[in-house]
Every structure is written in structure tokens, then in C-alpha cells.
Amino acid sequence: MLETPVSETPLQLRQRMREFYETSETYKVLLAAHDEAYLRHYVELVIRCAPADAKILDLGCGNGISSRLLNQADYDVVGTDISPLFLKEARNWENQKLRYQVCDVLELPFDNDSFDVLCSNELIEHLPDVETALKEMIRVVRNGGKVVLSGPNLCSPLTPFFDWVRLMCGKPGRPVWGETKQQAWQQFKRNCGLYIKKRFLTKTPHFIYRDPDLQVDAIGGDADSAYYANPIDLAQFFKINGFSIVKKAVGFGIKGRIIANMFPYLSPYITMVVQK
């Protein structure tokens, strides 16, 4: 799926996305796949970055499992999501050091400098206003604190290239983004151009948005993403705002570690750690 222009104002899109996540039972079922095994790498990354007794804000925690796992590692955790529907069952896990709160990352209901670690998994690509969200993250994390962002790099040329290779070998494509050889190759060329422009030709972030597919029968696969998530944008924004980059990417598995170490901004997955 190539870039599609946003057909409504940011406020209209924001409201439409809120209504979708607040009411979509189908999407809630898709979130059930985000179980402990699925979230293991993300939780381990946050734990490695969090000092003992850290207060952690887990943004966009969906079904709340990631926040529960961080709490089980003896951290004081607040898990948030825009959807009360998604957090309904998670309320049963609350205790003195774990609570859940319905809120919008674009308007966080927390005081300045409230948390030692702020983290999110597969949230950033679903935001219709990334700059506002990042400013809110910067506001609520303490000096010396860390922000850990994890999610798909939707501008990586490697992902559509791997799609194309699989399709050339007769294997099925990737829903939404690489369903045919032609689509995967077009996406590869587009992402190569974006990478070169963002990596070498610009010094400021340029957040590119798309119309999310918010069908009643949600199909997953980041069809509902509103932002072409890109680690170069994020790194540039945090640097401009005085943050230091602790990790550009963290790889999992042999192939993932090689790519993360040698070509961090090409990695198909964003695993970025920055410090205020």
C-alpha cells in the first residue's frame, strides 16, 4: 500500500480514530495476539533500561499485559490506553504499584517530570499527530529519564524487499503492504527514496501521514496506522529537543542484531532508547 493522502483535518481524524478504538470489538480480538510471548522482547528492553524502583509510564498498552509484566518485575507502573474497551479486563490486575488509566497520549493527564521511564510498543505508528505526542512524552519524563519506543519501521526498505523475495519464491505476500510483487517492489522503491532523503538530505523530522483503514471488520497488519513510522524522524526530533540517543536500534535474533548494529535506521523494527 503506497502513501495515501489524509482526507480530513487532524482533529477529525483524531476523533474518528478515538471512536474506532473505543468501540471495535474486532480490533480487541486482534490485540489478544499480543500475549506474554509476543511482548517478551519489548518488556525485556524496557527492564534493561529502567533503574531499580523506577516509575514507568507504559503508553498505548492495549490489553494491559505489558504493564502487568513490568509490574511483576517490581516496577511502579501506570499503563494507559485511549480505549476503555481494551483495558476492561486489565483492571483486574491493578494493585498498589500497578494502575491503568484511559487517556490520550496527545493530552497526558500527568504532571511535568513524573516518570523515570516512558515506554510504548506499537503505538507511534497509530498517532495522527506525532509531534504533539512526542512533546507530551518529553514533558512528563524526568531529567535523566529515558524514553523507549518500539514498533514497526514503516519506511524501512528492507521489509518490502523481503516481501518481494518471498513473493518471487512463490510464498504468500504480506497483507496490506506487500500483497503482490508489483506492490512490494513499488513500496521498496518508495522507501529507498524516503530513507535517502531523511538520512542524508534533511536535518529536521518530516512526519508523513496516511489515511488509516478503520473498517468495522478490522484486518490488522497496521492497516489502521496513521503515521509512516520512521526512526530517523524520531531521532532528529529528540536530538533537537536536547535528548541523547542511547540506542538507535536493538536487534533480536542473529539477523536482527546484525541489521540493528550495522544499519540501525534500516531495521524493519524500531527499538529506540533516548535519554533526557
Side-chain angles (χ1 to χ4, degrees), residues 240-256:
I240 289 171
N241 285 275
F243 278 63
S244 58
I245 308 298
V246 178
K247 293 183 183 295
K248 295 179 179 178
V250 179
F252 306 109
I254 296 175
K255 182 174 71 173

Side-chain angles (χ1 to χ4, degrees), residues 28-195:
K28 182 181 178 182
V29 172
L30 293 175
L31 281 180
H34 293 193
D35 56 12
E36 293 188 13
Y38 182 90
L39 294 164
R40 178 173 60 88
H41 290 309
Y42 165 65
V43 172
E44 289 176 352
L45 174 61
V46 176
I47 290 173
R48 289 201 299 270
C49 296
D53 301 321
K55 187 174 182 181
I56 298 176
L57 178 61
D58 187 16
L59 294 170
C61 67
N63 56 24
I65 292 177
S66 57
S67 301
R68 174 170 60 82
L69 294 175
L70 290 168
N71 173 246
Q72 290 174 349
D74 205 30
Y75 290 106
D76 185 351
V77 183
V78 178
T80 75
D81 200 274
I82 198 170
S83 174
L85 175 66
F86 299 164
L87 290 176
K88 185 176 180 180
E89 287 77 20
R91 298 286 189 184
N92 297 324
W93 302 326
E94 290 188 321
N95 58 56
Q96 289 185 339
K97 296 181 68 175
L98 172 63
R99 64 186 178 93
Y100 292 97
Q101 186 162 344
V102 175
C103 68
D104 190 337
V105 67
L106 302 180
E107 296 178 277
L108 293 174
F110 306 108
D111 293 335
N112 296 350
D113 309 316
S114 297
F115 296 91
D116 301 295
V117 176
L118 187 150
C119 56
S120 73
N121 182 55
E122 299 184 5
L123 166 69
I124 196 76
E125 69 274 17
H126 301 290
L127 299 178
D129 185 350
V130 179
E131 184 171 356
T132 296
L134 294 178
K135 287 180 178 177
E136 280 291 271
M137 296 179 193
I138 289 171
R139 180 181 65 80
V140 302
V141 71
R142 293 170 179 158
N143 287 332
K146 294 176 181 175
V147 176
V148 182
L149 298 179
S150 180
N153 179 1
L154 296 181
C155 291
S156 170
L158 295 182
T159 307
F161 178 75
F162 294 149
D163 290 338
W164 180 80
V165 171
R166 283 195 300 270
L167 287 160
M168 290 296 289
C169 294
K171 297 179 181 179
R174 184 166 53 105
V176 181
W177 305 91
E179 298 177 344
T180 66
K181 287 179 281 189
Q182 181 182 14
Q183 185 187 44
W185 190 252
Q186 288 178 335
Q187 193 73 32
F188 168 70
K189 291 192 295 182
R190 170 194 177 275
N191 285 5
C192 282
L194 283 176
Y195 173 76

Side-chain angles (χ1 to χ4, degrees), residues 224-262:
D224 58 316
S225 61
Y227 161 55
Y228 285 101
N230 184 302
I232 301 174
D233 290 337
L234 303 176
Q236 289 173 336
F237 188 89
F238 281 115
K239 286 180 180 178
I240 289 171
N241 285 275
F243 278 63
S244 58
I245 308 298
V246 178
K247 293 183 183 295
K248 295 179 179 178
V250 179
F252 306 109
I254 296 175
K255 182 174 71 173
R257 285 194 291 269
I258 291 173
I259 293 173
N261 289 331
M262 297 184 66

